[in-house]
Amino acid sequence: MERLWAPWRMEYMMAPQHDSCFLCEAAEAGVDRNHLVLVKREFCLIMLNRYPYVGGHLMVVPLRHTGELDDLDDAEQLDLLHGVRQARAALRRTSAPEGFNIGMNIGKPAGAGLENHLHIHVVPRWNGDTNFMQPVGELRIISEGLKESYDRLRAAIDC
Ligand SMILES: [Zn+2]
């Protein structure tokens, strides 16, 4: 029997599992302006989308790295929905939206920019802002800077 000497395997095994996932990096950072994380809950994060569809575009993100909704247990699912409500309440306080788009893009054909880590988009809407929902994740010019949005929402969100 041949023995395989493969030290690089150990290196591979010891490397951070999801070192290229920016949502995992955000989860690790916790509440942090540079990572745009507003709140870290028991099982999820509330953060600003770095490439917002409109100003105030938030995301609620399970702490666990998975792209599969069925992987989340009941406590994680409940916390996600509470996170959505918390995000929506903060947006109501800061910018009085007249409606919201709340949802997930699962899989590339559905427009997911990041397939491997679930996230729920919470997008504030106003009458007359646009006539239709463009694919979430499209880069647009937003009049308000992300850091300014962060500060306003951070001050308004219940922790
Ligand atoms: Zn991740």
Side-chain angles (χ1 to χ4, degrees), residues 14-84:
M14 291 173 72
Q17 259 190 303
H18 308 297
D19 52 351
S20 61
C21 177
F22 81 94
L23 296 180
C24 284
E25 283 171 19
E28 201 141 302
V31 174
D32 179 71
R33 197 170 187 255
N34 286 326
H35 287 86
L36 303 174
V37 177
L38 291 163
V39 174
K40 187 172 183 178
R41 298 175 53 90
E42 190 176 4
F43 296 113
C44 69
L45 297 175
I46 303 172
M47 62 188 291
L48 273 85
N49 190 327
R50 200 171 286 281
Y51 304 105
Y53 169 64
V54 294
H57 179 168
L58 300 182
M59 299 193 299
V60 183
V61 182
L63 299 183
R64 188 134 63 100
H65 181 90
T66 178
E68 181 48 71
L69 194 55
D70 294 342
D71 282 349
L72 300 180
D73 64 26
D74 286 353
E76 288 171 309
Q77 292 179 51
L78 187 62
D79 199 52
L80 268 184
L81 197 55
H82 284 167
V84 167

Side-chain angles (χ1 to χ4, degrees), residues 70-152:
D70 294 342
D71 282 349
L72 300 180
D73 64 26
D74 286 353
E76 288 171 309
Q77 292 179 51
L78 187 62
D79 199 52
L80 268 184
L81 197 55
H82 284 167
V84 167
R85 289 170 54 182
Q86 191 178 1
R88 195 179 68 150
L91 287 168
R92 278 187 166 150
R93 270 179 224 125
T94 54
S95 51
E98 293 162 299
F100 291 89
N101 289 111
I102 296 175
M104 290 180 168
N105 300 330
I106 295 182
K108 277 237 154 46
L114 179 72
E115 282 183 280
N116 300 324
H117 197 141
L118 291 171
H119 45 284
I120 302 179
H121 296 276
V122 180
V123 181
R125 303 301 301 263
W126 292 267
N127 286 317
D129 57 1
T130 53
N131 296 326
F132 58 96
M133 182 69 184
Q134 295 184 17
V136 166
E138 181 182 334
L139 184 60
R140 303 175 116 232
I141 306 297
I142 306 302
S143 57
E144 185 182 46
L146 279 174
K147 294 291 161 72
E148 287 70 30
S149 290
Y150 180 90
D151 292 340
R152 280 192 314 124

